[in-house]
Amino acid sequence: MPQVVRSRIGALHGPSPIPPLPHRFRSLADRESVEVLHRAARVLVASLPALTDRLVEALYAQEPAYRAAIDSDRAGVWQEVHHSLRHNVGSLIQPREFREPAHRTSRWIGEVRAEQGVPLDAVLHAFRMGGAMVWQDLVDETARRDPDDIRLLVHVAADVWNFVDEHCGVVADAYRQAERRQSWRRENRQRLMVAALLDGTARIADLAEAAEMLGLPEQGRYAVLAVAGGPRGPGSAAASRAGAAQHGPGAAARPPVELPAGAPGATVLWHPGPDAEFAILPLAGSSGELSALAAALDVPAGTRAGIGSAVEGLAALGDARRLAETALHTCPASGGTVLLDEHLPDALVVSSPALAGALADRVLGPLDRLDPADRDVIVETLTAWLDADGSAQRAGARLYCHRNTVLNRLRRFEQLTGRCLTRPRDAVEVSLALAARRLLGGI
């Protein structure tokens, strides 16, 4: 094969930035057929504006996905098509000079169309339409000039279509990379928006955009669920962050708890925090909805879950998150689910640890002078009596002792502390003090 033909074929089939398509036709090019191709291609270069007009019209008529782009910016689409044809037809004549600029143009088109949301199939169809139109013009020009040369032009048909397929591969690769970048930006934007809503730092002006982005009503009713995997320490949130790092931005990690059937489901948005994971729960507004959710929540052993009170509107999600954290802090270290609305006294305690600690020391401080075992018996009896709504009989059954034993221990507590359990104010203070010791540490 003459050296000039070897150079051309090497340029057409040399290293490519994307893998070759699975099937490529064998080249039959020789010196004469390449010269015929060059003569016809030079005529196409001279008439590129007319060729561009025809291809744009064909795209408008045959590819619906391009119609909106052509209607909104016909001049821009025309320039894009003209630029691509100029480099691609030029590559048939001078492959070394035009091949890389042609690839850059095809990559640029793939990226732009991905950002515009034009389907990849439509973009590839447009490229193949352009290839078919160029090939038909090459055939027509050769037939007009010398019909006998058609047999020579056929020898380079495989090279021309391999060239078209190569650029379809370039476009597809650029399109998918642009899609991945778009997806990352979209999901990162969503994460930032959810974080701002839960932090209470979202701007009022951004709420409408947030509602549209997240698929949530701006004025809907919401609660927040907080989940942690250990006693006031990083739990499932750490695992979620590790999973996101492993699977990439936007990877959906498995929720730390399973929501019951009939719960908000697909509309629930999870977000990892430093010490817990948070879920935004859209509510239907039915009575007892949160109580039913808390009762049916599937919480693994050792996991703590707190559900805050309901709030109105996306703008209040920061408050809902703080309420969920308060509920989470009232959970036992062993795990379980706490609905804030059903544990408001405990919530008061954990909301002001310093004051709660001071109250516990003032009410229960005299017990600290006792032997620890003796002190624990009195505290256990007090707790059982309060849980039994002040019934010594039921408290005794729970403690496996006689009701008189319960009453004796309660009287001893009153003597040590100066409190009277039949006085409502003292009973409230004792209850809160016991909650403070249980939730904040101590007895």
Side-chain angles (χ1 to χ4, degrees):
M1 183 183 293
Q3 183 61 42
V4 65
V5 176
R6 268 194 274 269
S7 299
R8 181 201 171 283
I9 299 304
L12 279 174
H13 303 293
S16 173
I18 52 103
L21 295 180
H23 177 70
R24 297 180 71 87
F25 296 101
R26 183 172 62 88
S27 174
L28 301 174
D30 55 24
R31 181 188 293 274
E32 286 184 281
S33 61
V34 170
E35 289 176 352
V36 170
L37 173 66
H38 285 181
R39 283 197 298 270
R42 289 190 187 98
V43 176
L44 262 65
V45 170
S47 60
L48 272 182
L51 175 59
T52 303
D53 288 339
R54 287 190 289 120
L55 182 51
V56 171
E57 290 301 325
L59 284 173
Y60 191 87
Q62 300 177 37
E63 185 45 71
Y66 268 78
R67 286 176 192 161
I70 294 172
D71 283 335
S72 62
D73 187 13
R74 176 176 286 268
V77 174
W78 193 96
Q79 288 293 339
E80 174 189 302
V81 172
H82 184 268
H83 199 60
S84 178
L85 288 172
R86 180 164 62 86
H87 284 99
N88 291 340
V89 175
S91 295
L92 300 178
I93 305 170
Q94 298 175 292
R96 287 185 176 179
E97 289 79 1
F98 282 92
R99 185 172 186 270
E100 184 51 36
H103 276 193
R104 285 199 300 269
T105 299
S106 295
R107 285 194 292 269
W108 177 79
I109 291 173
E111 292 172 355
V112 168
R113 292 304 174 209
E115 292 172 359
Q116 294 173 342
V118 178
L120 177 57
D121 287 348
V123 181
L124 296 179
H125 183 210
F127 264 76
R128 292 191 173 103
M129 286 176 62
M133 189 170 287
V134 167
W135 174 249
Q136 187 61 53
D137 281 10
L138 291 171
V139 172
D140 291 346
E141 174 57 28
T142 302
R144 184 192 66 79
R145 187 183 185 93
D146 188 346
D148 290 341
D149 285 346
I150 292 293
R151 61 181 177 80
L152 295 172
L153 189 63
V154 171
H155 291 177
V156 296
D159 298 281
V160 173
W161 285 107
N162 284 340
F163 179 82
V164 173
D165 282 345
E166 178 181 303
H167 277 263
C168 284
V170 171
V171 168
D173 183 65
Y175 187 101
R176 293 187 182 104
Q177 289 186 27
E179 268 193 326
R180 287 192 290 270
R181 289 194 298 270
Q182 280 183 292
S183 177
W184 186 91
R185 287 195 295 266
R186 181 172 56 253
E187 290 165 357
N188 191 52
R189 172 68 174 158
Q190 177 175 304
R191 282 196 299 271
L192 293 174
M193 185 64 75
V194 172
L197 289 171
L198 291 173
D199 288 344
T201 57
R203 300 183 303 174
I204 297 298
D206 293 336
L207 292 179
E209 178 190 355
E212 181 178 1
M213 179 188 303
L214 303 177
L216 298 172
E218 183 178 349
Q219 300 303 327
R221 190 164 173 266
Y222 298 96
V224 170
L225 165 67
V227 180
R232 297 183 181 85
S236 55
S240 176
R241 289 192 298 274
Q246 178 180 357
H247 299 292
R254 182 175 179 177
V257 298
E258 294 295 332
L259 294 168
T267 58
V268 171
L269 295 175
W270 285 95
H271 184 77
D275 301 310
E277 287 193 74
F278 301 95
I280 298 174
L281 305 175
L283 302 176
S286 58
S287 176
E289 186 177 7
L290 286 178
S291 296
L293 175 63
L297 201 62
D298 185 8
V299 179
T303 298
R304 297 177 297 120
I307 304 175
S309 302
V311 299
E312 298 292 337
L314 290 177
L317 280 179
D319 294 333
R321 190 262 308 167
R322 286 185 284 274
L323 293 172
E325 286 182 321
T326 299
L328 184 65
H329 292 155
T330 68
C331 281
S334 57
T337 302
V338 167
L339 176 60
L340 184 66
D341 290 348
E342 297 175 357
H343 293 78
L344 293 177
D346 287 354
L348 287 174
V349 168
V350 299
S351 296
S352 184
L355 290 177
L359 176 64
D361 290 341
R362 179 177 178 182
V363 174
L364 303 177
L367 300 182
D368 293 338
R369 296 191 291 267
L370 299 177
D371 179 85
D374 194 16
R375 177 197 61 194
D376 291 347
V377 167
I378 293 178
V379 169
E380 184 182 26
T381 303
L382 267 174
T383 302
W385 180 75
L386 289 169
D387 289 343
D389 297 326
S391 169
Q393 186 74 36
R394 292 201 301 272
R398 184 174 300 181
L399 297 172
Y400 303 102
C401 64
H402 195 273
R403 65 180 297 274
N404 289 339
T405 302
V406 172
L407 294 174
N408 289 335
R409 291 172 182 172
L410 295 180
R411 279 194 293 271
R412 188 177 179 207
F413 169 78
E414 290 177 329
Q415 291 168 358
L416 290 169
T417 63
R419 302 283 167 171
C420 178
L421 293 175
T422 58
R423 186 184 302 135
R425 179 187 179 93
D426 285 356
V428 169
E429 289 185 353
V430 169
S431 178
L432 291 175
L434 288 171
R437 287 290 177 95
R438 172 172 51 85
L439 295 170
L440 304 178
I443 295 178

